[in-house]
Amino acid sequence: REIQTCEEKATPELDRMARDENVDCILKDLGQASSAEGHSENLSRLQREIEKRESAKEKLQEKKAELKKESESVEKRQKWLEIVPSVVDKIEKASLPLQMYTGNTIAERKNRIKESSSLNEPLYTLFRQLEGYCQAYEKDGKAKVSIVPENPNLFFTSEISLIDAPLALSTLPS
């Protein structure tokens, strides 16, 4: 009698879960479970579920192996990127005689850029634009833009002669 009461009780959540999981057969009565046909259906459903899980497990293992391979590749590239600055510095040092001969040293340019970062935005923009202009139209190294250390009496000099005199930039006194 209790079994019959349980069979008749509606279980919408259980039915919904069964549909969501694509369960092929849901036993509606216990008599079906005891029959040979019901038993074989249950076994075949369980066998399909085992196959699905094994296939998912194999895919997971493949993805883990792929992830490990990619992680090793990324790690190798990061190590290479970490040594690039030292290699570039060595190349710059090795090419210093050639830079001196051409009058265009990378170290000086880097120092000017580093110094210019202390300027306020308008002066920094002006400095970078004038420096680019000087590099593009430089003749015999006479065109230069430089930064003058802060001087309370000087906030901007307007000597803009790209042939003879350099342009000096400074910030407003505080």
Side-chain angles (χ1 to χ4, degrees):
R1 188 173 67 175
E2 289 180 18
I3 293 174
Q4 191 175 15
T5 305
C6 288
E7 287 176 354
E8 292 172 357
K9 183 169 175 92
T11 54
E13 292 87 16
L14 188 59
D15 293 340
R16 183 180 47 82
M17 287 173 40
R19 277 193 311 271
D20 291 345
E21 293 180 7
N22 295 325
V23 175
D24 296 329
C25 67
I26 300 172
L27 298 176
K28 295 292 181 187
D29 58 356
L30 293 176
Q32 189 180 16
S34 62
S35 72
E37 184 180 314
H39 183 69
S40 64
E41 286 179 15
N42 283 338
L43 286 178
S44 64
R45 181 178 54 82
L46 291 173
Q47 187 63 34
R48 286 191 305 270
E49 187 68 28
I50 288 172
E51 290 171 2
K52 285 180 186 178
R53 289 181 183 208
E54 286 176 353
S55 129
K57 186 177 179 181
E58 288 174 6
K59 287 180 182 179
L60 177 65
Q61 289 174 347
E62 289 173 6
K63 294 296 181 183
K64 283 183 177 180
E66 185 179 322
L67 176 65
K68 184 178 179 182
K69 182 180 174 184
E70 290 297 323
S71 296
E72 290 171 355
S73 174
V74 167
E75 186 177 314
K76 183 179 177 182
R77 290 177 183 156
Q78 283 178 336
K79 286 180 182 178
W80 182 82
L81 286 173
E82 287 173 1
I83 65 168
V84 168
S86 63
V87 172
V88 169
D89 288 341
K90 288 178 184 177
I91 291 171
E92 286 178 5
K93 287 178 184 176
S95 67
L96 193 58
L98 179 62
Q99 294 175 34
M100 297 300 279
Y101 178 74
T102 61
N104 189 10
T105 61
I106 295 171
E108 287 178 9
R109 188 175 307 141
K110 280 184 177 180
N111 286 337
R112 284 195 308 268
I113 291 171
K114 189 175 180 180
E115 288 174 1
S116 69
S117 65
S118 65
L119 295 172
N120 57 25
E121 281 189 42
L123 287 177
Y124 176 79
T125 304
L126 178 64
F127 174 80
R128 295 294 290 153
Q129 289 175 345
L130 288 173
E131 186 179 46
Y133 179 78
C134 289
Q135 287 175 2
Y137 298 103
E138 184 176 27
K139 294 184 180 170
D140 301 327
K142 291 183 180 179
K144 286 192 176 186
V145 180
S146 62
I147 298 173
V148 177
E150 283 196 36
N151 182 348
N153 299 324
L154 173 74
F155 77 90
F156 183 74
T157 60
S158 60
E159 300 173 32
I160 306 177
S161 172
L162 295 176
I163 298 174
D164 299 322
L167 174 69
L169 298 176
S170 179
T171 58
L172 288 171
S174 301

